[in-house]
Amino acid sequence: MSTCPIIIALDWDAFYCSVEEHFNPELKKIAFAVQQKQIICTCNYVARAQGVKKLQLLVDAVKQFPDLVIVNGEDLSRYRDASKELWYFVREMVWGGKVERLGFDELFLDVTDMVDFNMTLLDNAHVAREFTRHSPHSVLSFFFRTSQQDPSMGFSCQLPSVAGNLATGSLPEDFTGDNLRLVLGSHLCHYIRSQILEIKGYTSSGGVSINKTLAKTAGATHKPNQQTVLFPEFAQDFLDRFDIGKIPWIGHKSKSIILDAIYKGTDGVNHDSDRTRDATVFNVRHVASKQLFTSSLGQSSGEKLWDLLHGVDSTTVQPTPDIPTQISIEDSFRSLTSIIEVQTVLRKLSNSLLDRMYIDLMDSNGDWLGHPQTARLSTRPRSTGYYGSRISRSDSLPSIVFSSSHSRDYIVDYLVDRCWMPLFSKLIGDTKTFDLVLLNVAVVNIDKAPAKTSDITSFFGKKHLVDNHVKDARREELVTKSGKGVGEHADLEPGLELPWQEDEDLIYEETSYRESCVVCGQRIMSFALEAHMRFHELVD
């Protein structure tokens, strides 16, 4: 039997809007949009049918669509809670809990074990004879078991029919091996999506294939509330039609580096009538080479991205732990130049950070499940531009954040005065002037709590604090090409971007966001940032 994984990519449809509709069903009947700062971060499908676009300036959207209802979505608590609830629900249905979260609204499921168990229940020799293109009317009613122990748990499906859309519109020659496994995976995907809708009330789009990249890309082709299956023999034809910037892992910076290398000195060769650069996967594969990728992006990144263009992705589904590895909150600005402004922002971010810690690191009884050891402050100077690197400093996290005997205001003031501002002084150095476009506060190095307790300040003894300080002092400052903070993917070569290992800071909606707009703070995909900035230029 083949060892290729069977991967399902799930994407909640218009997630922020779905959450708002869940709490207010009347919104389903009208066109509405979710606002964050001065931007339409998303809108429901009623609004989209009328022409409302994501990333529009709020003032433009209201002027163009006067009947559009606006819902403020800057408080992410409701979306975060719904995201976790759906993740837990799906994880219970997947054997071994092999479910990985990507932002708020996407999941990767490794259902290989479930599919292979059910493959053993089929008479494969009989399937090979019956399920071919030469006998298209052969149908087998099969009961897909979702439990190894209880044979009554599962669902019925018709084989060899495929549940959902075909990525290329073509069926394979036969339904044996991986093809049959993907057929079973398609029915499992449909079952999971139907359970989510029936029990939780949320629609989702899905992709089914043999790796994360193919599943995610396939799942994005038919939305909303649909799913798409991509058989491996059609993977290359499917990918070739996409712009390389649409392929996961290949973001704005990587794409620019690749195209600059390809078209350097060509003076329009392979350009279309508008003399724009042909960035389709097909063209890039044929005019470039693996050597060009590695020389431009570095050995590791170049090989990885070259493989992705050929449908090869060895990235495994990494089950997301109950306790996050870090928690971070950030905000972006047109310009931040005074200490008073910095202190004000840090107080706001500290309050949000504490809210996140209480949600993500405490159970329903108020007991701490994990304790961060390190506090990290990151900034981005205006001089580095929209895609510039972040500069970070870190130190031991004050144990007072876990105290139940101090008020919230006292803890926030303590964090700002004793933690963030000293780190900020180290970041800006001796200069008295600065111009920042981003501030980020984070707690990292989160360990599982040694024992349940509502106040674990005693855990942070003097020796522990000293040890942490020594350890973090060795990595106080780091500027990374990927825009990550201290200790995050610091060994990556330039060009490689990580869509399924993003920080959970600020905004996630229907895909993983990479950059924060320095004008309005909206976090959007890297490839869309330039177009987004033109909105502001027109207004200015």
Side-chain angles (χ1 to χ4, degrees):
M1 183 177 294
S2 175
T3 58
C4 286
I6 304 298
I7 305 299
I8 296 174
L10 289 183
D11 181 0
W12 313 127
D13 294 324
F15 181 58
Y16 282 14
C17 293
S18 295
V19 174
E20 296 297 342
E21 290 172 352
H22 183 78
F23 286 93
N24 183 5
E26 291 297 316
L27 290 173
K28 295 180 180 181
K29 306 175 184 178
I30 61 176
F32 79 96
V34 177
Q35 165 198 359
Q36 287 174 337
K37 294 200 172 178
Q38 300 305 311
I39 295 294
I40 298 297
C41 71
T42 191
C43 53
N44 69 346
Y45 288 99
V46 177
R48 295 183 195 192
Q50 296 179 8
V52 182
K53 303 293 184 183
K54 293 186 294 183
L55 306 183
Q56 279 186 283
L57 286 177
L58 179 63
V59 62
D60 293 341
V62 172
K63 183 184 299 184
Q64 186 177 358
F65 306 98
D67 295 329
L68 184 67
V69 173
I70 304 299
V71 177
N72 191 304
E74 293 185 2
D75 182 358
L76 302 182
S77 300
R78 180 176 288 180
Y79 312 131
R80 186 179 300 113
D81 291 346
S83 175
K84 290 179 67 175
E85 179 183 353
L86 291 171
W87 165 50
Y88 287 141
F89 180 74
V90 173
R91 191 174 64 174
E92 289 299 312
M93 289 189 282
V94 177
W95 294 356
K98 295 180 180 179
V99 179
E100 178 180 354
R101 291 177 73 191
L102 174 57
F104 278 179
D105 67 334
E106 293 186 68
L107 299 176
F108 287 110
L109 289 59
D110 186 337
V111 296
T112 307
D113 294 341
M114 300 180 73
V115 167
D116 286 347
F117 173 78
N118 281 274
M119 282 284 288
T120 64
L121 304 180
L122 285 168
D123 177 1
N124 289 316
H126 173 72
V127 170
R129 288 194 302 269
E130 294 296 326
F131 297 162
T132 67
R133 297 183 66 180
H134 301 294
S135 56
H137 301 295
S138 299
V139 175
L140 170 67
S141 181
F142 177 68
F143 187 79
F144 189 110
R145 284 176 53 180
T146 57
S147 170
Q148 290 176 291
Q149 293 75 34
D150 187 350
S152 67
M153 292 182 62
F155 59 92
S156 295
C157 60
Q158 299 296 314
L159 301 180
S161 63
V162 176
N165 303 285
L166 298 172
T168 58
S170 301
L171 287 170
E173 290 293 333
D174 62 67
F175 290 94
T176 60
D178 284 340
N179 289 341
L180 180 55
R181 296 167 72 237
L182 282 170
V183 170
L184 289 174
S186 74
H187 288 284
L188 177 57
C189 180
H190 182 270
Y191 171 77
I192 291 173
R193 292 176 52 246
S194 65
Q195 290 295 294
I196 296 168
L197 177 59
E198 179 180 345
I199 298 175
K200 295 297 182 180
Y202 288 88
T203 64
S204 60
S205 298
V208 186
S209 196
I210 61 171
N211 63 48
K212 293 167 74 172
T213 293
L214 295 179
K216 178 177 170 64
T217 309
T221 58
H222 293 90
K223 299 175 68 174
N225 197 26
Q226 299 184 66
Q227 66 179 58
T228 305
V229 184
L230 176 57
F231 292 97
E233 62 198 85
F234 305 122
Q236 193 62 70
D237 289 340
F238 173 73
L239 293 177
D240 277 349
R241 67 193 189 193
F242 287 97
D243 184 290
I244 62 172
K246 297 291 187 180
I247 305 301
W249 294 79
I250 303 180
H252 175 89
K253 290 181 286 187
S254 302
K255 175 181 173 180
S256 296
I257 292 172
I258 293 168
L259 294 183
D260 287 345
I262 291 174
Y263 290 109
K264 183 178 181 181
T266 61
D267 192 25
V269 175
N270 288 313
H271 289 36
D272 61 22
S273 58
D274 294 326
R275 299 180 65 82
T276 57
R277 301 188 293 188
D278 186 347
T280 61
V281 171
F282 178 86
N283 183 68
V284 171
R285 286 197 308 111
H286 285 82
V287 302
S289 65
K290 179 180 285 190
Q291 183 179 359
L292 181 144
F293 270 55
T294 56
S295 61
S296 302
L297 300 170
Q299 188 71 28
S300 177
S301 299
E303 290 182 354
K304 173 69 177 179
L305 268 58
W306 180 256
D307 286 345
L308 291 180
L309 297 187
H310 294 81
V312 178
D313 179 11
S314 60
T315 308
T316 59
V317 171
Q318 298 294 323
T320 302
D322 287 320
I323 299 176
T325 57
Q326 70 168 20
I327 298 173
S328 66
I329 302 290
E330 70 181 31
D331 205 352
S332 300
F333 318 92
R334 182 187 294 270
S335 181
L336 197 63
T337 58
S338 77
I339 291 294
I340 293 178
E341 289 176 326
V342 169
Q343 290 174 324
T344 300
V345 172
L346 287 176
R347 281 187 169 81
K348 177 183 176 182
L349 294 179
S350 295
N351 266 301
S352 297
L353 183 66
L354 290 173
D355 286 338
R356 285 282 307 278
M357 291 175 64
Y358 298 153
I359 292 172
D360 292 347
L361 298 180
M362 295 183 78
D363 63 18
S364 58
N365 297 318
D367 296 323
W368 288 96
L369 302 174
H371 52 80
Q373 302 179 47
T374 306
R376 186 190 70 212
L377 177 69
S378 303
T379 66
R380 178 180 289 159
R382 170 171 289 282
S383 59
T384 63
Y386 301 143
Y387 302 106
S389 300
R390 301 185 183 196
I391 304 172
S392 301
R393 290 270 181 160
S394 62
D395 204 343
S396 299
L397 178 68
S399 60
I400 195 173
V401 299
F402 301 100
S403 174
S404 59
S405 58
H406 293 85
S407 69
R408 165 68 76 89
D409 289 342
Y410 183 88
I411 294 174
V412 168
D413 289 341
Y414 191 98
L415 277 173
V416 173
D417 297 338
R418 306 287 186 90
C419 182
W420 305 130
M421 289 310 297
L423 289 175
F424 184 77
S425 296
K426 293 180 181 180
L427 279 171
I428 64 174
D430 296 331
T431 180
K432 300 300 181 183
T433 60
F434 54 86
D435 190 355
L436 307 176
V437 296
L438 177 143
L439 276 179
N440 174 291
V441 296
V443 290
V444 299
N445 299 330
I446 301 177
D447 291 338
K448 187 175 181 179
K452 285 189 175 182
T453 173
S454 59
D455 188 342
I456 62 170
T457 55
S458 60
F459 179 82
F460 289 84
K462 183 176 181 180
K463 181 180 183 303
H464 180 72
L465 289 173
V466 171
D467 288 345
N468 269 347
H469 183 77
V470 172
K471 177 176 67 176
D472 293 322
R474 288 196 291 266
R475 43 186 245 162
E476 266 193 337
E477 183 174 3
L478 180 65
V479 178
T480 69
K481 293 293 184 180
S482 64
K484 297 291 179 181
V486 175
E488 299 169 53
H489 318 302
D491 57 343
L492 290 178
E493 298 175 60
L496 187 62
E497 301 177 33
L498 304 173
W500 24 71
Q501 298 186 44
E502 290 278 349
D503 290 355
E504 285 191 347
D505 43 304
L506 247 193
I507 297 166
Y508 290 92
E509 201 262 324
E510 295 173 37
T511 184
S512 58
Y513 294 81
R514 311 274 181 80
E515 298 289 339
S516 297
C517 173
V518 298
V519 178
C520 65
Q522 172 66 27
R523 199 154 192 230
I524 61 178
M525 288 292 289
S526 296
F527 73 84
L529 186 58
E530 291 183 359
H532 171 76
M533 289 304 299
R534 286 197 285 273
F535 278 116
H536 295 300
E537 292 172 2
L538 292 174
V539 173
D540 291 342

